[in-house]
């Protein structure tokens, strides 16, 4: 049944004009329409497997397999958010069995499909407010690690952002110094915001491409910057500068995941979730080799 569906999807994608002269665009359309294997995809677009792999990653920032996995996960997310039955949502998204999404998708959802559909229902998130060299920060963590670091002087606004991100999770505010689990994590974040090199356990939830961008950000040395285009090129996806900028905007962990080190190609700052003044100050202090004062 699946083979027949893939064959129909291939014929349909070939017939849809714009992709016809571009094998990579044709490959993307085939992945959007069905679930062809790599060898099948290679034969359909007339490229060798290795050439297809390299070129597809360069164009779209993901391997064909990762692109397909992300497309399926996006479909699953949409169905779950609409309140659809979990089994039906899994089947419609293309997962052959519930075990497949638990093996591959749950890590990217950050929780099980049932919890995701329920807005994080049942997830434990502990959080605290702490004053740092950059001002007030909200630090939130799951059992896996830090899931949010937000900066701002309005405590109510910070809490509202946390609740927007985890609308049905069990949110527990604690005094950082009185919680043996949260306290060392809050101290580590405070040290990181002060510009000190410390190990901070993270629980980053995002798509495969977003995680690649965030990993690349954490490899940029303090005192250096990269343009969005340079970061995209370093990921083997030189045309994905806009996707890189979008991933930076979706970063929820201030400074620890240093999206402030990415600027525009003309040298201007570009956007920053926590404001241009914070970004400008961080870059100035890092370039001078000083910790924030």
């Amino acid at each position: 049944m699946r083979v027949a569906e893939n064959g129909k999807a291939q014929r349909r994608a070939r017939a849809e004009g714009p992709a016809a002269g571009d094998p990579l665009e044709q490959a993307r359309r085939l992945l959007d329409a069905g679930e062809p294997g790599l060898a099948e995809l290679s034969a359909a677009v007339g490229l060798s497997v290795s050439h297809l792999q390299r070129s597809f990653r360069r164009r779209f920032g993901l391997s064909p397999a990762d692109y397909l996995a992300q497309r399926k996960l996006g479909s699953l997310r949409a169905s779950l958010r609409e309140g659809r039955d979990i089994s039906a949502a899994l089947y419609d998204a293309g997962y052959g069995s519930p075990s497949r999404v638990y093996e591959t998708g749950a890590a990217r959802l950050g929780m099980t499909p049932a919890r995701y559909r329920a807005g994080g229902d049942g997830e434990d998130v502990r959080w605290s407010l702490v004053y740092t060299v950059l001002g007030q920060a909200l630090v939130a963590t799951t059992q896996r690690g830090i899931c949010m670091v937000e900066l701002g002087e309005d405590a109510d606004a910070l809490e509202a952002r946390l609740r927007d991100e985890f609308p049905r999770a069990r949110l527990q505010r604690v005094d950082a110094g009185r919680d043996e689990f949260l306290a060392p994590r809050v101290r580590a974040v405070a040290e990181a915001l002060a510009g000190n090199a410390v190990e901070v356990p993270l629980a980053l939830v995002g798509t495969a491409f977003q995680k690649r961008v965030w990993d690349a950000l954490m490899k940029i040395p303090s005192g250096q910057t990269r343009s969005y285009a340079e970061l995209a090129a370093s990921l083997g996806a030189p045309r994905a500068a806009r996707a890189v900028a979008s991933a930076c905007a979706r970063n929820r962990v201030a400074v620890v995941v240093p999206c402030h080190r990415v600027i525009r190609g003309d040298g201007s700052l570009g956007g920053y979730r926590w404001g241009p003044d914070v970004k400008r100050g961080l870059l100035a202090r890092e370039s001078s080799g000083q910790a924030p004062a």
Side-chain angles (χ1 to χ4, degrees), residues 192-205:
L193 297 188
N196 299 318
V198 291
E199 200 65 36
V200 180
L202 297 174
L204 303 178
V205 180

Side-chain angles (χ1 to χ4, degrees), residues 32-268:
D32 285 341
E35 294 185 46
L38 188 57
E40 185 181 358
L41 192 64
S42 170
V45 302
L47 297 176
S48 71
V49 169
S50 59
H51 187 190
L52 174 61
Q53 286 268 50
R54 289 194 305 271
S55 300
F56 195 93
R57 182 180 288 278
R58 189 177 302 116
R59 171 78 64 86
F60 300 111
L62 297 168
S63 70
D66 282 341
Y67 182 92
L68 178 60
Q70 194 164 309
R71 192 263 293 171
K72 290 168 65 176
L73 184 62
S75 176
L76 175 62
R77 279 178 165 147
S79 293
L80 292 174
R81 283 300 193 197
E82 290 169 2
R84 296 201 63 194
D85 174 78
I86 293 173
S87 296
L90 290 172
Y91 179 81
D92 289 347
Y95 293 98
S97 67
S99 65
R100 291 302 300 149
V101 73
Y102 283 89
E103 291 166 8
T104 62
R108 292 175 184 171
L109 285 170
M111 55 194 73
T112 66
R115 283 188 178 179
Y116 187 84
R117 185 181 67 168
D121 190 22
E123 189 80 5
D124 290 306
V125 177
R126 299 181 190 180
W127 66 279
S128 184
L129 294 174
V130 60
Y131 284 91
T132 75
V133 293
L134 296 179
Q136 184 173 240
L138 181 149
V139 180
T141 183
T142 68
Q143 287 292 335
R144 296 178 296 279
I146 301 296
C147 60
M148 178 178 281
V149 176
E150 281 283 347
L151 305 176
E153 293 309 312
D154 187 331
D156 290 338
L158 291 177
E159 183 177 353
R161 289 181 210 167
L162 176 66
R163 293 189 181 280
D164 284 344
E165 198 67 43
F166 303 97
R168 295 187 183 178
R170 289 191 294 263
L171 301 179
Q172 180 185 4
R173 180 175 180 175
V174 298
D175 292 330
R178 298 183 181 179
D179 185 289
E180 62 182 16
F181 178 83
L182 187 59
R185 289 158 176 79
V186 170
R187 285 197 297 271
V189 169
E191 287 291 310
L193 297 188
N196 299 318
V198 291
E199 200 65 36
V200 180
L202 297 174
L204 303 178
V205 180
T207 67
F209 185 76
Q210 286 171 340
K211 288 184 177 181
R212 290 181 65 209
V213 172
W214 298 336
D215 286 342
L217 291 173
M218 289 186 282
K219 294 175 183 175
I220 302 174
S222 178
Q224 297 185 24
T225 60
R226 302 286 187 274
S227 70
Y228 295 104
E230 287 173 335
L231 196 61
S234 75
L235 297 173
R239 298 189 184 186
R242 287 187 178 181
V244 165
S246 177
C248 289
R250 288 294 299 154
N251 172 32
R252 306 174 189 88
V253 183
V255 184
V256 179
V257 178
C259 54
H260 62 278
R261 294 176 187 161
V262 185
I263 61 176
R264 290 177 177 155
D266 62 5
S268 60

